[in-house]
Structure formats: C-alpha cells, structure tokens
Amino acid sequence: MNLSGACAVVGIAETDYVRGSDVPNLERMLRTAQRAVADAGLTMGDIDGVIPPPGFVTVEELAANLGIETLRYSSTIAMGGASSTATLQTAAMAIASGVAHTVVCVVGWDGYSAMRSTGVVAAGGANRALSGPNPMTRTLSQYYRPYGVRVPAQFYSWLFNRYKLLHAVPDEAAGAVAVACRNHAQLNERALMRGRPLTLDDYLQARWVAEPLRLFDCCLETDAACAIVITSVERARDLRHAPAVVLGVAEAHPYPADDLLSRRDPLRIALSDAAPRAFAMAGISPHEVDLLEIYDCFTYVVLLQLEALGLCGPGEAAGFVADGAIGLGGRYPLNTHGGLLSQGHMWGMNHVVELVRQLRHDAGPAQVPNAEIGVVTGWGDFGDGSLAILARGR
C-alpha cells in the first residue's frame, strides 16, 4: 500500500516539560488529547481510532475518559522511542484502508518523577511500568546487568565508542549537536533548558557519564505529554490548519533486535533499512528536506541517523554538522524545539509536534523560513528505527 499523500496530521498539543508534575499522568494525557482534537477543529465524536503509548495506559482508559463512543481501531506500538513516529505509519494504514477515519495518538509519562532512586513520585501514584517483559529488558536483566551495565548510557557507549574510533569522530561533532539543540531551546517557552545556554567549551568541560558520553550528550528526564490527530487529506482540507501531509513512512528493526553485541555490523542501524523505503514512497531525496527533527536520546544517535538517512556517508556526520549547518539559518536546521536534549524527553512525539508546527509556519522565533518538507525520526530500545516525511499541504 502506497500511503503517500493519503493522510495528514491535523491536530497537535503538548504540555510543558517539567521535573515534578502535579498532574497525574493519565489526566495529563487526557487533557493533551482533548487539546489536540480541539486544535484540529474536531470533537471527540469525530475520533474513531486511538493509539496509546506502550504500557503507561490502556486504550480502554483513554477512550472511556475521552468519551469516544465509537472506537473502530486501536493499536499499541512497542518500539520504545521509535513508537511515536511509527504511529504515523500505523494510523495512516488504518485510515487509508478505511478501517478508521480519524485517529488520535497520545503519549505521556512521568519520565522524571517516577524514575528517581530517591522515591519521588508524581501526584496520583507511581508511574505505571512498561507492561510485561520485552526482549530488551530480558537481555539487560540476564546478560548486561550482572556485569554492571544498567542504563542506556552504558550499553550505548559500546556502540558510540566503536563509531567514534572507527571514523575518528572528534568530540566537537557531538558537541555541535548538543549546542544546536540548546540554542534552539532558548526560543521555546516550553523547553526545560530555556534560559540555560550552552557553549562548546561548556560541553567539552562537562563530566563523563559513560565514555564517550559527557553530561550534555544525554537527553533530559521530564514529565510531559503530547498528542497528535491524523485523518484523510480530503477531510484535512476542511479543517482549521494547513495540514501536514504524510509523504513517506517506514519502520525497521535491527537483527538481532534483542542484543547490541551480536550484530554483524553494529553501526548498521534500523534506520539504514527504513529510510530508503520512506524516501522512495515520498518520491524525494533526503537532500530535498528543509528541516530535520531527529530523535536525540544521545548526541551520537543523531550522528548515526544523519548517515542512515543518506544525508552524508558513513563517518561523515562530523563534517555535516560543522560550521552551523544544523542551526537555524543553516542548510538543515535540526531539532528546532530543542529536542530531547534540551526541550524534554517525550518519546519523540514532541519532535512530531514540532515538525507539524513548522510546516504550519507557526513556530514563532524558531520558524524555518518557507518550510515545506521535513523529516522526523524515532529510535527505540536497542536501535529500532522509524521515520516520517511530512509536507505542508494546501
């Protein structure tokens, strides 16, 4: 099924990105979903599809509390940080096939409050854990943690060290990503790091977390929620905003998906397989996009994805991000909201929200002039990948 041009994102909403929310996570998601539907100029009676986040809430809870009486489609995508972008493909398939007409996708979590070792918990109780074991958690518990590897910065450092040493990547390359995201966050009223600028010297002098990762290579822990609404392009034309039309979508999974260390080529990430398919569906080349919203749980993840997208060759991302190329005013503005590194961690749905805002030409001081086409990516678990190419509709 060629989904290009069939569907569009017509509603968006997000909360502030905070450390310690006084609103329970379910309520935060409900409010955000309601705002996204209202942003589209629709009502809950127009919604017949719901895609919730994996584990933190059930579709039944969302539908009942939102007042969605006719639910024709639901799905839960368990791809970690790649889930949010992957929802665009799943929703588009449901709409293009006629299974559903209008789908709301919502994500929310207490990414700070419920993760504190000190026991700090957000109002309303502890954050619900991911439901059930998955291949990544089993690998972590059985093979990595017994040797002291407990958190993503540690196990991803194996991958990043290989990349850095193999291609002689300078520290300044990752620093360029961190600084660009922090600069963009200064223009975003909702960004957690607004008012806290970062220089390259600040980056280079920061403490190590797990070499080659320094403090500012790592994303923020925040409590937040985001939601988007997707419908057919035909219906989108009659709604409130210029639609963000889905030109291309794809997802992929590395092999084996449950272990970083057993892969033939650890640097061939899932996006390496997904990106060519998405750009072929869209009928454009990577160099035709006007801006990039790249999943940035770590700076080095951004570098790897830039190469996987085909924007530069293997080991060439350091040159690609140099000299302001990814800043506002550069050829490829990146993470214009601040990203996970400087706005806040919302499983990448905040990247989707930002891309839609940019294509509406409604991004305020962070607006990329004449933005017409953009790409958003997701990265999850041990490197699951997803991406969507969106274009400004008329």
Side-chain angles (χ1 to χ4, degrees):
M1 178 184 294
N2 189 338
L3 300 172
S4 185
C7 303
V9 181
V10 295
I12 56 173
E14 63 183 338
T15 65
D16 291 336
Y17 296 80
V18 300
R19 287 180 165 173
S21 174
D22 58 358
V23 179
N25 187 35
L26 175 59
E27 183 176 346
R28 199 161 56 235
M29 281 191 276
L30 294 171
R31 291 181 185 179
T32 308
Q34 290 168 334
R35 288 173 47 219
V37 172
D39 177 67
L42 298 169
T43 69
M44 286 300 167
D46 298 306
I47 305 299
D48 59 1
V50 175
I51 300 181
F56 300 125
V57 67
T58 67
V59 68
E60 290 80 7
E61 286 176 296
L62 289 173
N65 285 283
L66 290 171
I68 300 173
E69 296 185 11
T70 304
L71 184 62
R72 302 175 61 188
Y73 178 77
S74 68
S75 178
T76 301
I77 302 169
M79 292 177 64
S83 302
S84 295
T85 302
T87 63
L88 277 78
Q89 175 174 261
T90 299
M93 288 191 295
I95 294 165
S97 65
V99 172
H101 297 301
T102 305
V103 178
V104 62
C105 310
V106 60
V107 181
W109 75 330
D110 295 322
Y112 177 82
S113 297
M115 305 297 177
R116 301 296 87 208
S117 59
T118 54
V120 176
V121 176
N127 195 51
R128 187 178 303 173
L130 289 172
S131 55
N134 61 47
M136 186 186 79
T137 57
R138 285 195 293 269
T139 299
L140 286 173
S141 63
Q142 297 176 21
Y143 299 104
Y144 291 4
R145 286 177 181 161
Y147 295 94
V149 178
R150 302 182 58 84
V151 296
Q154 293 175 314
F155 57 75
Y156 278 134
S157 70
W158 304 330
L159 181 68
F160 303 151
N161 267 318
R162 179 179 177 86
Y163 172 71
K164 182 180 178 182
L165 295 172
L166 184 64
H167 297 294
V169 178
D171 293 350
E172 288 79 4
V177 174
V179 170
C181 289
R182 186 64 63 88
N183 288 343
H184 298 162
Q186 305 315 302
L187 305 174
N188 184 348
E189 293 181 354
R190 284 198 165 98
L192 185 64
M193 290 293 110
R194 190 181 188 193
R196 299 176 65 178
L198 178 73
T199 68
L200 184 58
D201 284 342
D202 294 332
Y203 166 84
L204 292 171
Q205 293 170 16
R207 63 177 173 84
W208 294 108
V209 175
E211 196 171 352
L213 295 173
R214 294 178 167 86
L215 176 64
F216 299 118
D217 288 307
C218 306
C219 65
L220 304 171
E221 297 171 313
T222 51
D223 305 339
C226 289
I228 61 173
V229 178
I230 306 174
T231 193
S232 67
V233 165
E234 289 75 17
R235 191 174 196 186
R237 294 192 181 106
D238 297 326
L239 298 180
R240 180 171 294 166
H241 301 284
V245 178
V246 177
L247 293 187
V249 285
E251 71 174 61
H253 305 259
Y255 179 81
D258 61 351
D259 186 11
L260 278 170
L261 302 181
S262 298
R263 296 173 189 167
R264 186 173 301 156
D265 180 2
L267 297 183
R268 182 174 177 82
I269 61 176
L271 203 63
S272 304
D273 297 320
R277 289 189 275 115
F279 281 106
M281 182 186 295
I284 65 170
S285 78
H287 294 283
E288 293 181 68
V289 303
D290 299 312
L291 72 156
L292 309 167
E293 305 297 346
I294 307 298
Y295 196 91
D296 54 333
C297 50
F298 301 103
T299 54
Y300 286 90
V301 159
V302 174
L303 300 177
L304 288 168
Q305 289 179 96
L306 292 173
E307 296 174 9
L309 285 170
L311 289 163
C312 51
E316 295 178 357
F320 183 89
V321 302
D323 302 323
I326 58 173
L328 286 166
R331 173 61 187 90
Y332 296 101
L334 180 141
N335 295 357
T336 46
H337 52 323
L340 306 185
L341 289 166
S342 284
Q343 182 193 39
H345 193 327
M346 194 54 265
W347 287 46
M349 189 63 90
N350 48 330
H351 291 58
V352 180
V353 168
E354 174 65 11
L355 179 53
V356 173
R357 187 181 292 119
Q358 287 281 346
L359 295 175
R360 290 179 177 182
H361 298 173
D362 193 27
Q367 180 63 52
V368 175
N370 304 313
E372 293 291 324
I373 303 176
V375 62
V376 57
T377 71
W379 170 293
D381 295 339
F382 284 147
D384 289 340
S386 58
L387 77 157
I389 302 157
L390 306 181
R392 177 177 169 84
R394 298 292 186 264

